[in-house]
Amino acid sequence: FRSILKDCRNQILSMALIHEDLYRSKDFDNIDFAEYIRTLTLRLLSTFRTGGGIKLDLALQTILLDIDRAIPCGLIVNELCVTVLKYAFPPSFSGRPQTLRIELSEEAGMICLAAADNGVGMDEETRSRVFEPFFTTKGQGKGTGLGLAMVYGIVTQSGGHIDVESNPGIGTVFRVYVPRSQESGAREVRTPAGVTLPGGSETILVVDDEPMVRESLGRMLSRLGYAVLLAGGGGEALRIAGSRHEAIA
């Protein structure tokens, strides 16, 4: 159960980070999605501390997307990369350089995304179940299988489709195709630039043992006007709460 909560929290954080990144754009109708993929993949490699062990190979066509399409595509790329970084190259993997290749192109009105690795690959039984919620090849408490299920849901709800090819010992390729534009009339109304989101002036103590989670939540709350205190664990939180209890209360 804890692993499910942790995965849910991580995916909510990923959504928040992607929204935060893309809403910094000055032009919501012309976001350079290739440049965004470059930024996202470098951040993920740093987050997973690959230490340069995984070679990143980017083949990206310059494509300008509006924010309604950029957000789901960003979530898709994020989850596919996370899947590769978490599962394609276990500690026992050896024998050849580790490579993650990301492709972006446009064909006949479809955005084409691909994530390919030369890792351990999957057998046919595993490949046929990778998009099932809660399916995982990890032991109990070590994974939930929610990431690829979310990708499948985003792709199908966007009117697209996803394919996966994999062979044990060779690697895996995910290919995603989504329409460049949403169906006429299906597009949601965006929040106009300059609209103030609800916020406050209270002091909030954010407690999380993962620096990326802690700092990202802190930044978002600060932008909404809150005074933010950060703690990396229960002991530090108690010390801060003891010294700043009047402000927090």
Side-chain angles (χ1 to χ4, degrees):
F1 183 69
R2 287 184 178 180
S3 64
I4 294 175
L5 291 178
K6 183 177 181 180
D7 264 19
C8 289
R9 185 196 64 172
N10 289 342
Q11 285 170 15
I12 291 170
L13 172 65
S14 296
M15 293 178 191
L17 286 173
I18 289 168
H19 277 75
E20 181 183 14
D21 288 343
L22 292 174
Y23 269 100
R24 289 175 184 165
S25 173
K26 295 180 180 179
D27 186 351
F28 287 173
D29 292 316
N30 294 284
I31 294 172
D32 186 339
F33 195 64
E35 184 59 33
Y36 177 69
I37 289 178
R38 291 188 187 95
T39 301
L40 174 64
T41 50
L42 289 174
R43 183 172 67 201
L44 288 172
L45 286 176
S46 174
T47 299
F48 281 84
R49 298 178 178 88
T50 62
I54 296 179
K55 177 186 176 182
L56 186 60
D57 182 11
L58 300 178
L60 308 176
Q61 177 184 337
T62 299
I63 296 177
L64 300 180
L65 299 179
D66 66 33
I67 200 162
D68 291 330
R69 184 52 81 210
I71 287 176
C73 286
L75 290 169
I76 290 168
V77 173
N78 181 82
E79 290 299 332
L80 291 179
C81 289
V82 167
T83 296
V84 172
L85 294 173
K86 287 174 66 175
Y87 302 114
F89 305 107
S92 60
F93 181 86
S94 62
R96 60 180 179 273
Q98 303 172 9
T99 302
L100 167 60
R101 178 178 173 84
I102 304 296
E103 299 177 1
L104 170 67
S105 61
E106 182 180 358
E107 301 174 10
M110 300 290 284
I111 300 167
C112 308
L113 295 164
D117 67 74
N118 65 339
V120 294
M122 298 178 281
D123 58 27
E124 179 58 26
E125 180 181 1
T126 301
R127 189 202 65 79
S128 67
R129 300 184 62 191
V130 290
F131 299 119
E132 294 181 15
F134 304 111
F135 173 74
T136 176
T137 57
K138 299 291 184 179
Q140 185 175 2
K142 296 183 179 180
T144 63
L146 291 174
L148 289 178
M150 185 179 76
V151 168
Y152 183 82
I154 293 172
V155 172
T156 54
Q157 289 172 19
S158 299
H161 62 278
I162 182 170
D163 298 323
V164 55
E165 299 176 8
S166 189
N167 289 289
I170 296 177
T172 302
V173 182
F174 291 95
R175 293 188 177 89
V176 175
Y177 305 87
V178 294
R180 180 184 177 89
S181 300
Q182 298 186 17
E183 293 291 332
S184 177
R187 188 165 160 167
E188 297 180 358
V189 177
R190 297 195 298 269
T191 302
V195 172
T196 302
L197 296 175
S201 58
E202 295 87 354
T203 299
I204 296 177
L205 175 58
V206 176
V207 185
D208 201 289
D209 59 357
E210 293 188 16
M212 186 179 73
V213 176
R214 185 169 65 247
E215 293 167 8
S216 298
L217 289 175
R219 285 197 305 270
M220 287 185 284
L221 290 170
S222 294
R223 288 172 183 167
L224 294 175
Y226 295 102
V228 180
L229 303 173
L230 304 178
E236 184 181 4
L238 289 173
R239 288 193 296 273
I240 294 174
S243 63
R244 301 290 300 276
H245 68 277
E246 293 182 358
I248 297 173

